[in-house]
Amino acid sequence: MPKAAETFDVVVVGAGAAGMMCAIEAGKRGRRVLVVDHARAAGEKIRISGGGRCNFTNQRTRPEAFLSQNPRFAISALSRYTPADFIALLARYQVAWHEKTLGQLFCDGSAKQIVDLLLTEMQGAGVALRLGQTIESVEKSPDGFALSVAGEAVQCASLVLATGGKSIPKMGATGFAYDIARQFGLAVMETRPALVPLTLEPAQLARLSPLSGVSVDARVRCGKASFDEAMLFTHRGLSGPAILQISSYWREGQEIEIDMAPGQDVFALLRAAKAENGRQSHQTALSALLPRRLAQLVVETAAVDGPIAGATDQALRTVGQAVNAWRIKPAGSEGYRTAEVTLGGVDTAALDQRTLAAKSVPGLYVVGEAVDVTGWLGGYNFQWAWASGWSAGQVA
């Protein structure tokens, strides 16, 4: 006789931020919950995030900080489980935190504290956790779903897809949630790497190679999107928070515009420098605003030479434009290998915004990064994970 299927009320696929939060909430309601993940450890993306300190939320969380085909979809979950709610959870476990910048909250200690408290919460809610196990198949059954988990039959009434997106494949990221969603007829919006460094053409790289490692505060624009944060020149192209932010809006073939002295009119400052001390070189005058190596490259590119006293207004304008409105067309991005998140995912039109339930498949839920909701850099994506997981956990 074949072995009888093990039965659970809820099976959550994925032991990440959204999956664990959902499992905790469902378990608190007395549901018999199983969390399955093919990774050997739970919450690995939490553990490595924020340089090991986990940028676990953002106090400025608001709908405008999320990209989606339906920008209003995230409002319900985000308003029902807020940054203050997660901070209260940390307080219960005496996890100390600090605000770094722009509302970004980090652990004072290790990100492992957050993983540990989530595991403790799951244990307290009676959640079963199976790591290093693969789900070979998922089928609809009269009572919910029939799964094959590491060769064993498992039956559940509710199935929650919380496996994230394709970003950071070295950690085992796959498109599993998208595959299962499509299997059950849910549309998946086009996916692409987001919050990712941008690469440059070989000729551009060769010219900018002396700047590798140089960082500058910048305002980076693409279309209507604009971010004021640090930018870093790398041996592959451009990185740093401002570039990662704009990468979610940039598409191949588009230019980005970079102001490397935001809030400063470089042309006016160079004219003033010329009047005060015309004997100084363009590079010396520009070095008061920019790192020396960057100032040198700007001057060389603008092809201005000699003391600033001999410069025409047109020449100074050229230099100013090169700093305040540098336009460059990236060749591409570094891809999923270094992307922090995946843009796109399961179409929000297929899901209930309050519960994250699939409208056409009773008992199926999709949460976290697998959904077509992508936050800005700075803790927004973790807040979406907590909020969407919490919302599904109230009903799954």
Side-chain angles (χ1 to χ4, degrees), residues 106-190:
F106 289 78
C107 296
D108 285 357
S110 166
K112 192 171 180 297
Q113 293 175 284
I114 291 182
V115 178
D116 290 345
L117 80 80
L118 292 170
L119 289 171
T120 301
E121 285 279 297
M122 283 204 302
Q123 192 173 19
V127 174
L129 174 62
R130 294 182 191 168
L131 298 168
Q133 295 196 2
T134 303
I135 294 181
E136 290 107 6
S137 66
V138 178
E139 303 293 338
K140 198 79 180 77
S141 72
D143 300 321
F145 300 88
L147 289 69
S148 175
V149 181
E152 300 290 328
V154 172
Q155 175 72 33
C156 62
S158 296
L159 178 66
V160 182
L161 302 178
T163 56
K166 300 177 182 177
S167 53
I168 322 182
K170 70 180 180 185
M171 287 179 57
T174 69
F176 180 86
Y178 311 141
D179 296 339
I180 300 300
R182 288 191 188 100
Q183 177 187 326
F184 288 110
L186 274 59
V188 177
M189 308 307 292
E190 179 192 1

Side-chain angles (χ1 to χ4, degrees), residues 42 82 219:
T82 67
R219 175 173 297 144

Side-chain angles (χ1 to χ4, degrees), residues 33 46 79 157-158 166 172 179 217 282 285 311 391:
V33 184
I46 299 172
S79 63
S158 296
K166 300 177 182 177
D179 296 339
D217 286 335
H282 293 77
S391 296

Side-chain angles (χ1 to χ4, degrees), residues 69-327:
Q69 287 295 313
N70 175 7
R72 299 189 60 77
F73 179 83
I75 293 174
S76 177
L78 291 170
S79 63
R80 291 167 67 224
Y81 191 87
T82 67
D85 292 316
F86 194 76
I87 290 167
L89 176 61
L90 297 189
R92 279 176 39 213
Y93 285 84
Q94 299 182 320
V95 176
W97 54 269
H98 60 279
E99 180 178 346
K100 199 168 182 181
T101 181
L102 300 172
Q104 301 168 17
L105 305 189
F106 289 78
C107 296
D108 285 357
S110 166
K112 192 171 180 297
Q113 293 175 284
I114 291 182
V115 178
D116 290 345
L117 80 80
L118 292 170
L119 289 171
T120 301
E121 285 279 297
M122 283 204 302
Q123 192 173 19
V127 174
L129 174 62
R130 294 182 191 168
L131 298 168
Q133 295 196 2
T134 303
I135 294 181
E136 290 107 6
S137 66
V138 178
E139 303 293 338
K140 198 79 180 77
S141 72
D143 300 321
F145 300 88
L147 289 69
S148 175
V149 181
E152 300 290 328
V154 172
Q155 175 72 33
C156 62
S158 296
L159 178 66
V160 182
L161 302 178
T163 56
K166 300 177 182 177
S167 53
I168 322 182
K170 70 180 180 185
M171 287 179 57
T174 69
F176 180 86
Y178 311 141
D179 296 339
I180 300 300
R182 288 191 188 100
Q183 177 187 326
F184 288 110
L186 274 59
V188 177
M189 308 307 292
E190 179 192 1
T191 57
R192 57 183 285 122
L195 300 184
V196 63
L198 298 177
T199 58
L200 300 176
E201 299 285 3
Q204 293 171 324
L205 272 183
R207 186 169 65 83
L208 297 175
S209 61
L211 299 180
S212 185
V214 171
S215 178
V216 64
D217 286 335
R219 175 173 297 144
V220 183
R221 295 179 186 277
C222 183
K224 293 179 181 176
S226 173
F227 293 93
D228 285 34
E229 290 192 64
M231 179 181 77
L232 175 70
F233 292 89
T234 73
H235 63 288
R236 290 192 185 93
L238 301 172
S239 188
I243 295 296
L244 299 188
Q245 296 279 38
I246 214 69
S247 73
S248 296
Y249 295 84
W250 174 82
R251 295 294 179 270
E252 287 74 4
Q254 285 185 309
E255 279 189 332
I256 58 175
E257 183 178 291
I258 304 170
D259 182 350
M260 295 181 285
Q264 311 240 42
D265 182 338
V266 174
F267 167 61
L269 291 168
L270 289 175
R271 282 191 80 193
K274 174 181 172 181
E276 288 168 19
N277 179 9
R279 288 178 297 177
Q280 65 183 317
S281 68
H282 293 77
Q283 185 180 326
T284 299
L286 210 50
S287 293
L289 298 169
L290 302 175
R292 184 184 53 79
R293 276 187 284 166
L294 178 55
Q296 181 180 345
L297 191 75
V298 168
V299 168
E300 288 171 359
T301 304
V304 291
D305 201 7
I308 198 169
T312 63
D313 273 4
Q314 185 54 50
L316 296 183
R317 249 192 207 96
T318 300
V319 176
Q321 187 85 354
V323 177
N324 285 141
W326 176 38
R327 301 183 72 86

